[in-house]
Amino acid sequence: MPGEKVTIALAGNPNSGKTSMFNALTGARQHVGNYPGVTVEKKWGHVSLNGHEVEVVDLPGTYSLTAYSMEELVARDYLIKSKPDVVVDVVDAANLERNLYLAVQFMELGVPVVIALNMVDVAENRGIHIDTDKLSRLLGVPVVPTVARKGRGVKQLLGEAVETAHRQKKWRSLELSYGPDVDKALLELTAKFNGNSLAWSPLQARWVALKLLENDAEVQKQVAQDPGLVQHMEPLRQKLSDHLKLTMDDDPEGVIADYRYGFIGGIYRQAVQETRAQRMELSDKIDKVLTNRLLGPLALLAVLYGIYQFVFWASEIPVGWLEEMFGWLGGLAEAGIPEGFVKSLVISGIIDGVGGVLGFVPLIMFMFFAIAILEDSGYLARVAYLLDRILRHFGLHGNSVMAMIVSGGISGGCAVPGVMAARTLRDPKARLATILTVPMMNCGAKLPVYALLIGAFFAASQAQMLFALTLISWGMALFAARILRWTVLKGETAPFVMELPPYRLPTLRGLLIHTWERTWQYIKKAGTVILGISILMWALMSFPALPRDQAAAWDAKVEAAATEEVRREIEYQKGQDQLAYSVAGRMGRALHYLTEPLGFDWRTNVALVGGFAAKEVIVSTMGVAYSLGEVDPEHAASLSQRLTREPGWSPLSAFTLMIFVMIYAPCMATLVMIRRETGTWGWPLFSLAYNTIIAYFLALAVFQGGRLLGLG
Ligand code: GDP
C-alpha cells in the first residue's frame, strides 16, 4: 500500500557495520536525540522508496536481548513498546555464528526480521562461503547480502524490509526447543499465564516465560506486579533452576543459551562452507567421527547394540528376584485368603496383573539409564542430526527423530510425550505424519511383551532380537509415514534446522535423577492405570461364572481325581473352561477367525483386546489367561515356561505377536493425546484404524511367509 509509513529498527552487534548501514540507508537526512529517560543516543532518519515513507531508527548496538545492559534494555523496550514494523539486523558475515545469536533472539521475540548479511566481502576473503538462500530458508527470514561501506545491496535490503513489513503484520515467535527440562517448565509456565492480563500483552506468553527462566530482572518486575501470577511463577522457576543445577550443573540461562547456539550451529553447518581450516573444538572433533556420513551410522548401530547387551545382562538377576518376590506374595495370598472371588481377584487381578508389569522394572530402569547417558551427553542430538538425512526421504522432518526417540525409538519411552514432542515441527503435514507414526516405536509398555516372548522363545539371542525389533519399528514407521505423505498428507516438507548443542560430560547425579524420574512414571502407572485396567480385565475374564451345573460337574471331577497330578490338571481345565465362558473369553473366541491366520490363540486375543487400553496389560492378561485355575503356586510354571509348552506356540508365532503388538492400535492415552494435539477425534480414529490394519497385514505376511519357509 503506497503512502503507508513503514518503521524500520536497525539493530546489530557492535562493529557489524551498523553505522555504515544507517548512513547508507538514510544519507544526510538524520536526526539525533536521546531515548526517553536514558542517556543512550537515538538516531533516526527518513528515506522514501516507491512512494513509501520509511523511517529508520538506529537501535543501540548489542550482543544480546537480555536485560544486562542499558543498551540491551533500551533496544528491547523500544521494540516492545513502539512496535516497529520490521527489524533489520545487521550481521557480520565473517563472524556469523556469534552474530546470529542476536538474530535468534529477535525471532524468539517474534518481531518480523530481515537480515542484512553485511561484510560479505570480508567473509569471502577469509574463505567463508555462505549460501544466502539456504540461510534464509533455514532461519525462516529474508537474508540480503550487503557491503555497507560501499552501499552494495542496500537498495535490495530496503525493498526487502518494506515488503516484509507489509507481508508480515503479525508478530510470530520462533519456538525453539531448549531440551526436555526447560521445555517442560515453559509449558507449565505458559499454562499459568492463561487468564492473567500481562502489562506486556500481546507478547507471547512463551517469550515472557522464557525470560523468567533466564532470570530476566525486567520481566520479573513486570510479573511481580500481578501477585497472583508471581506466586505461581516463582516456585516453578526455582524448581527448574534447582533441577538443572542438580542434573546438568548449570543454570537455566546457560542451558537455554546452549540450545540457541545449538540451533545456530545446526544452521551454520548447512549453510556455510569454510575452505580454510577453522579452529576445531573438542565437540567438533568428536562430531567429525560421530556425525560422519559413513562412520556415524555405524557408530549409532554399535551404540544401540551395546545398550541392548548391557540392559539384558544387567537386568537378568534383579528381574529374577522380582519374579520370586511376586511368586512369594501370591503364595501368601493363596494361603491367607479363603477360596472365592476375593482370592481370585487378589491373585489374578492384582498380584499377577500389577506384578507382571512391575516385574520388568529393572529392565526398564537400565534402559532409561542408558538413554539418560545418551541424552545428557548430547549424543541424542547427533542421532537426530544423522537420521535427519534419511528421514527427509520419507517426508518427515529432522525434528521427528526426537519425537520418535521419546516414544521409544531406542526402546523404552512413551508415545504420549512423543506426540507432544512433535510440536517442535513447524511443518503441519510433517508434524501430523510424525504424530501418526511415533506410536509404532517400542515404548516401555511393549518391552515387557518383548521381554516375555524373547525370554521364552529366543533366550539365546536376546539383544539381537531387540535390535531387530528396533530396526523393524523404525522401518515400519518410515514406511507408514511415506504412505501418509504420498496420500492424505501430500505436500512439500519445509526446511529444518538440527540443533547441535555442545557435548557435556553427564553427571552421575543427573543420570540417576533422569533415570528415576522416568522409572517412577512407569511404576506409578502400574500402580494406578494398569491396576484399574487389570482389575477390569479380571472381571471380564471371570464373569459370567460357569452355570451352576457345569461348575458342579467340574467339582465332582476334581473330587474324584486319583492323584494330585490329575487333580491339578482338572483344576486347570476348569479354569480354562471358565475363561472361555466369560465375556472376555467370548470376545477372544469371536476374534479367532480373524487372528487364526496370524497364529494367535484365542487367549492371546483376550490379551490383545486388553492391550487397546494399555499395552502393559497384554502381559498381565496373558498371565491370567494362561494360569486361570492353577491354584498351587508351588507348582505353577512361570508364564514363559507355560508358553513354550503350549501346543499352539512356536518361535514364529511369538515373533508374529511381537510385530503385531509393535504396530497395532496406539493405547488409549496416546489416542487422547493425539486428539489434543490435532484438535479433532478424526486423527486418533484414523490412527487406530491405520495402525491396526498395517499391523494385521504385516503379521499375516510374517506368519504365513514364515510357514512357507518352514519356520512354523
Ligand atoms: P558499527 O560499530 O556496527 O556501527 O560499525 P561501523 O559502521 O562503524 O563499521 C565498522 C567498520 O567496518 C568501519 O571501518 C566500516 O567502514 C567497516 N565496514 C562496514 N561495513 C563494511 C562492509 O560491508 N565491508 C567492509 N569491508 N567493511 C565494512
Side-chain angles (χ1 to χ4, degrees), residues 12 14 24 59 102-103 111 132 305 310 351 375 412 435 464 550 559 635 704:
L59 294 180
L102 181 64
V111 55
T132 321
Y305 192 72
F310 161 75
I351 297 179
E375 188 164 352
I435 289 179
Q464 287 91 325
Q550 280 187 40
E559 285 295 315
H635 295 269
Q704 296 302 337

Side-chain angles (χ1 to χ4, degrees), residues 13-20 118-119 121-122 146-149:
N13 288 17
N15 285 321
S16 58
K18 199 161 65 67
T19 310
S20 313
N118 198 32
M119 310 231 192
D121 52 339
V122 182
T146 62
V147 179
R149 192 166 66 176

Side-chain angles (χ1 to χ4, degrees), residues 8 10 17 20-26 47 49 88-91 114-121 132 142-162:
I8 297 178
L10 195 64
S20 313
M21 184 63 80
F22 182 69
N23 292 337
L25 279 170
T26 61
V47 58
L49 180 82
V88 169
D89 183 16
V90 182
V91 162
V114 173
I115 287 184
L117 191 62
N118 198 32
M119 310 231 192
V120 280
D121 52 339
T132 321
V143 175
V144 182
T146 62
V147 179
R149 192 166 66 176
K150 300 206 182 112
R152 244 167 63 197
V154 174
K155 256 245 143 61
Q156 291 91 312
L157 179 67
L158 193 61
E160 193 64 66
V162 170

Side-chain angles (χ1 to χ4, degrees), residues 578-614:
Q578 160 62 45
L579 176 62
Y581 193 77
S582 71
V583 175
R586 287 170 207 211
M587 273 199 285
R589 288 197 303 176
L591 288 171
H592 186 60
Y593 299 100
L594 266 177
T595 63
E596 193 184 12
L598 312 183
F600 302 163
D601 171 285
W602 63 274
R603 289 168 294 187
T604 305
N605 295 345
V606 174
L608 289 174
V609 170
F612 271 101

Side-chain angles (χ1 to χ4, degrees), residues 1-124:
M1 290 137 267
E4 210 175 306
K5 193 178 130 184
V6 173
T7 306
I8 297 178
L10 195 64
N13 288 17
N15 285 321
S16 58
K18 199 161 65 67
T19 310
S20 313
M21 184 63 80
F22 182 69
N23 292 337
L25 279 170
T26 61
R29 285 160 293 171
Q30 298 188 357
H31 311 270
V32 180
N34 272 349
Y35 280 97
V38 289
T39 55
V40 177
E41 188 184 73
K42 178 182 182 183
K43 286 192 297 181
W44 69 100
H46 293 91
V47 58
S48 64
L49 180 82
N50 311 330
H52 290 288
E53 200 204 324
V54 182
E55 181 179 46
V56 184
V57 177
D58 189 31
L59 294 180
T62 60
Y63 293 103
S64 172
L65 268 199
T66 44
Y68 291 140
S69 71
M70 185 61 85
E71 280 74 19
E72 292 178 0
L73 211 56
V74 165
R76 200 169 85 183
D77 263 2
Y78 175 78
L79 294 180
I80 292 167
K81 301 211 171 107
S82 305
K83 291 210 122 202
D85 297 303
V86 56
V87 167
V88 169
D89 183 16
V90 182
V91 162
D92 175 0
N95 288 297
L96 189 59
E97 282 194 87
R98 187 151 52 95
N99 274 243
L100 281 180
Y101 192 73
L102 181 64
V104 166
Q105 289 186 297
F106 288 128
M107 286 153 62
E108 285 175 323
L109 182 59
V111 55
V113 176
V114 173
I115 287 184
L117 191 62
N118 198 32
M119 310 231 192
V120 280
D121 52 339
V122 182
E124 281 294 329

